[in-house]
Amino acid sequence: MNDDRNRSWPGQEPDAPRRAQSGPWPGEDPGPAWPGEEAPRRPRGDSAQRGTQPRGNLRGGGSPEWPSGDEGGPQWPGEEPPRRPRQQGMPARRPAPPPPGQRPPQGPPASPPEGFRQPRGGRPVPPPGREPDLITHHAHNGTDDFGRDPYDDGYDDDAAFNEFADDVEPQDELDEKGKKVLTPAQRKKRRWKIIRRVAYACVGVFFVVPAIAFVITYFLVDVPTPESIKSLQNQPITYYDASGQVMGRELPPGGDRQLLKPGEVPEVVKHAVYSAEDATFETNSGFDVTGILRAVWNQVSGGQGGGSTISQQYIKQATQNDAPTLTRKWTELAKSFKMNNQESKEEIITSYLNIVYFGRGANGIQAAAKAYFNKDAKDLSASEAALLAGLIQGPGRSENQAYAQKRWAYVLDQMVANKWLRQDERATAQYPTPIPKNANKEQNSGKLTYQVQQRIKDELAARGYDESKLFSSGAKIYTTIDPAAQDAAEKAAADGMKGQTDENLLNALVAVNPKTGGVIAYYGGPEIVKDANGKDQVGQDRANQARNPGSSVKAFDLTAFLKMGKGLGETFDGSNNRVLGGRTVRNAGDSASCGKDCTVAKAMEISANTVFYDMVLNVTKPSRVAEAAKEAGVKVAPNGKSVLYTDDNNISLGGGGTAVTPEDMAAAYASFASGGAYHEQHFVAKLTNAQDEVEFDENNIKTNPAFDDDAAKSQQIAGNVTEALVPVINHSNLKCPSGHECAGKTGTQQYTAKADDPKAYGDRNAQTWMVGYTPSVSAAVWVGGDGNKPLHDPKNRPIFGATIAGPTWQNFMNLYLKGKPAEKFDKVAPIGKDVNEVTSTQPKPPDTPSTTETPTTTPTTESTDPQNTDTSTPTKTRTRPGPPITTLNPGDGNTFGGGGGIAAPPGSGPG
């Protein structure tokens, strides 16, 4: 055992050895280590450092001598001191210091530390073999009875020289801020320590705290019952007209809704609903973690689809709370989890199917089975169940056949994927055709027609208010329908069809307020009609069906032309039978005599087809016409049903793939009537709940320019269109209401003859229009057939826009504007070349058409249309050279008679 280097010898002050080793304290004279001798020198770091180990026998009887400094070699690590011959009887000398990097060997117990001198005249060491006196040995050697030094601190004896050793790590370094400089291993250890602490905190925040909150919420919420939901939905919807009077009331379909009991829902229905809404319903605990993560991903990536289970949907349907808040979603999860703990899966799916909305006013699967297939839910087939299940996500689109078929196919495929339907059954499945939408609901309609009611609901559904929400809130719907205008529309439509013998004739009339865009009158045909078996069924809404507009689209041709800076004074070759774009285009009736220098204004008055076909083909192009129509108010998919086909030039004459609804035509012409201001057509002015809390209010109308960002420029364009349309009224033998200025345009789409048709069918027309306006009302009248039908009047003559549609429009305007203040259009500056500065002589009609083809010379007998259906006009006939009749495919449109058919009688004007 090593002795303590700091322990003093007898007769020496306690700190002397330590000072001898480490040097004097600051400011202290070290003095000699032993009496009469100078203190030992500290070794130097250079190669010349001098020092020798003590001479003499340190244990024998001789006295030790301090080296004189001139005969000893180096004493420090790395240098071996010179050896002295050992005398007989002397103990072995102290071993030399070890090489660098090794620890010095330790001497026997009770020996003095290496490097220390023994005092002269000290106690002699006992000879070998003799045990020293124990008491004296212990007392003077400083060890206990077990050979341990009580002052030994555990460090080795060479600790004083550690700073010079190669195997000792340096002391800790500090950075500029006084902090310990860490090794890479220490830094890595510290980082993982921080990460662990952060992970513990996250676990607490995201798992422990929510779990505690969820448990608390679980015990606070209650699960609603289907009976409580039914009582909440039993509130009628009330409709008001524009004057604020009650127009009708609609009660919820609670009378025929039946709450099914657990076990009464067939398996095929449940499987269809699982496939459509929640395939894991039978195994999840009320919410699907993967579904929630999928919904989050869809929200982030812009996709579609939610993560709600059937249990969650039931809670949302029951509470009618779909607010996009975390609180709603949190309580919804707690309620759905609680419901799954309290009720069986059979009870939950039955409750859900008793309240979910399927469209057509049907709440619950039993009511839906009755509304769509007139049968009980227990009798539904897999195909019928798939259709109903597919409509749960979009009940407001139940009458959209394309959407319904897509959802039906999806549900069937999911049933196969989940092994609820065999592949061979899927392959043979046929799309089930629902029965016509039932119009005989329990309601107090008053003046509210079924067609108006459905258009109102369509508009509200597009804004997120389906029937279910309307019933649950007891909605009050304030419409734009003017009772006086509605009465006038229904009467004018009925009068226009009096005396007509063609059973294919149908009609529709829509009127719009140009100042607001509100639909003030809407008639789409009779509400109830007879089917092929003579049974009553709901009539189709013809006012919301798209038809070829014929020459009434020429107002949009002109709008596009004016937007390019061209004017009504520009001239075109209005000759008949012109070859344009590789096709022969011809005029009809009086428009055949427009001449080679026909102004745009004159071409509009007589509806010269060749001028407008040329204008669109070579100047504006079809795309500008379509753009002008949309700016005016024509709604195309997905927001509307109209089609503006621009892949060919047929749009110029309103034929081919171009088709527009009467509602859109009335709304678009309203933009001309308002002086170029656009207001979107709508039926609902304001919506409130039963407590009169306003959902939205459209009475504060926002006016936007229709045809140009500059309102003045848009007004100028609309005014020039109006100036061109004013003469059309007189040319069509129509009259404006007394004291009112009006403008408008007729339109005719020719019937496409079939190979086995009689020869006379070549002059027949299939669609006719009259669209016109005053500053306060715009109205569109359509009279035509359901598709391509050859129409005729009671005298078996072709009909035109001025035959039935024109007089019906005139009758409506007279009835509605009777007694109202007189109106005149605002005058605007002409755009481009002013028509009033153009002088031209109208040439005589050529004896033969101007064409590259050789026309036939077979005369054609033509008839004169009556100027008014209320009066009789003598029949006049005339003959003219008949141009060749070119047969086109149905998709080609009418490039040779869109202005009024093949033969237009004198006086009545082309269509």
Side-chain angles (χ1 to χ4, degrees), residues 705-858:
F707 308 114
D708 194 277
D709 293 337
D710 185 351
K713 181 66 174 178
S714 182
Q715 181 182 18
Q716 187 182 19
I717 293 171
N720 276 256
V721 173
T722 297
E723 183 179 346
L725 296 180
V726 167
V728 175
I729 301 298
N730 290 331
H731 187 80
S732 301
N733 289 323
L734 300 174
K735 294 183 179 180
C736 297
S738 178
H740 296 269
E741 285 187 348
C742 59
K745 185 72 187 73
T746 55
T748 302
Q749 176 65 27
Q750 189 175 19
Y751 166 71
T752 302
K754 301 176 182 178
D756 56 349
D757 282 341
K759 184 178 180 179
Y761 281 16
D763 293 342
R764 297 288 176 88
N765 297 312
Q767 317 288 338
T768 65
W769 294 77
M770 174 59 198
V771 189
Y773 55 90
T774 69
S776 63
V777 60
S778 172
V781 177
W782 167 81
V783 176
D786 191 3
N788 184 43
K789 301 289 181 64
L791 306 177
H792 60 84
D793 66 3
K795 296 183 179 180
N796 206 31
R797 297 171 301 183
I799 66 170
F800 302 90
T803 305
I804 303 174
T808 300
W809 174 87
Q810 177 179 285
N811 192 15
F812 166 77
M813 300 296 276
N814 286 330
L815 290 171
Y816 177 64
L817 294 175
K818 184 178 181 179
K820 288 183 170 56
E823 300 171 298
K824 294 187 180 299
F825 294 116
D826 295 333
K827 299 301 180 181
V828 297
I831 296 175
K833 184 182 291 187
D834 188 356
V835 68
N836 296 319
E837 298 176 357
V838 178
T839 57
S840 62
T841 303
Q842 185 69 33
K844 294 182 180 180
D847 293 335
T848 58
S850 175
T851 178
T852 57
E853 301 176 359
T854 303
T856 60
T857 57
T858 304

Side-chain angles (χ1 to χ4, degrees), residues 50 88 96 100 255 304 333 370 465 483 620 649 710:
R50 302 176 60 183
Q88 183 69 23
Q304 296 181 349
L333 289 173
K370 288 285 188 181
Y465 299 92
T620 68
N649 205 51
D710 185 351

Side-chain angles (χ1 to χ4, degrees), residues 849-880:
S850 175
T851 178
T852 57
E853 301 176 359
T854 303
T856 60
T857 57
T858 304
T860 302
T861 303
E862 300 183 355
S863 305
T864 302
D865 287 343
Q867 298 180 8
N868 193 306
T869 55
D870 294 334
T871 60
S872 299
T873 304
T875 301
K876 298 180 181 179
T877 61
R878 68 181 177 90
T879 60
R880 64 173 173 83

Side-chain angles (χ1 to χ4, degrees), residues 536-827:
D536 289 344
Q537 67 176 11
V538 179
Q540 297 184 43
D541 182 0
R542 309 292 178 180
N544 195 35
Q545 294 177 351
R547 311 285 183 178
N548 291 129
S551 289
S552 61
V553 83
K554 290 175 182 175
F556 308 133
D557 296 347
L558 178 58
T559 302
F561 189 70
L562 292 168
K563 289 184 66 177
M564 297 180 66
K566 307 294 184 178
L568 300 178
E570 301 286 345
T571 59
F572 288 84
D573 183 356
S575 302
N576 194 20
N577 290 340
R578 290 186 61 197
V579 177
L580 296 167
R583 304 177 65 180
T584 300
V585 182
R586 64 190 180 98
N587 298 320
D590 290 346
S591 62
S593 60
C594 191
K596 289 187 176 295
D597 294 319
C598 182
T599 64
V600 172
K602 185 64 176 180
M604 181 66 78
E605 179 183 354
I606 66 176
S607 196
N609 292 336
T610 55
V611 170
F612 287 95
Y613 197 92
D614 187 359
M615 176 191 295
V616 175
L617 179 67
N618 297 311
V619 182
T620 68
K621 307 301 180 182
S623 60
R624 286 194 177 96
V625 177
E627 187 65 23
K630 287 187 286 187
E631 289 173 345
V634 174
K635 289 188 175 183
V636 299
N639 299 321
K641 293 186 175 181
S642 296
V643 179
L644 298 169
Y645 192 75
T646 59
D647 287 354
D648 57 41
N649 205 51
N650 285 323
I651 190 174
S652 62
L653 303 181
T658 296
V660 186
T661 67
E663 179 184 330
D664 280 356
M665 289 301 291
Y669 272 54
S671 294
F672 303 132
S674 65
Y678 170 73
H679 304 105
E680 184 178 6
Q681 66 263 37
H682 59 279
F683 288 83
V684 181
K686 185 172 70 172
L687 175 67
T688 72
N689 59 18
Q691 290 74 40
D692 293 324
E693 296 173 340
V694 178
E695 293 286 344
F696 66 84
D697 189 347
E698 295 291 347
N699 288 318
N700 299 322
I701 301 299
K702 295 181 179 179
T703 300
N704 297 311
F707 308 114
D708 194 277
D709 293 337
D710 185 351
K713 181 66 174 178
S714 182
Q715 181 182 18
Q716 187 182 19
I717 293 171
N720 276 256
V721 173
T722 297
E723 183 179 346
L725 296 180
V726 167
V728 175
I729 301 298
N730 290 331
H731 187 80
S732 301
N733 289 323
L734 300 174
K735 294 183 179 180
C736 297
S738 178
H740 296 269
E741 285 187 348
C742 59
K745 185 72 187 73
T746 55
T748 302
Q749 176 65 27
Q750 189 175 19
Y751 166 71
T752 302
K754 301 176 182 178
D756 56 349
D757 282 341
K759 184 178 180 179
Y761 281 16
D763 293 342
R764 297 288 176 88
N765 297 312
Q767 317 288 338
T768 65
W769 294 77
M770 174 59 198
V771 189
Y773 55 90
T774 69
S776 63
V777 60
S778 172
V781 177
W782 167 81
V783 176
D786 191 3
N788 184 43
K789 301 289 181 64
L791 306 177
H792 60 84
D793 66 3
K795 296 183 179 180
N796 206 31
R797 297 171 301 183
I799 66 170
F800 302 90
T803 305
I804 303 174
T808 300
W809 174 87
Q810 177 179 285
N811 192 15
F812 166 77
M813 300 296 276
N814 286 330
L815 290 171
Y816 177 64
L817 294 175
K818 184 178 181 179
K820 288 183 170 56
E823 300 171 298
K824 294 187 180 299
F825 294 116
D826 295 333
K827 299 301 180 181

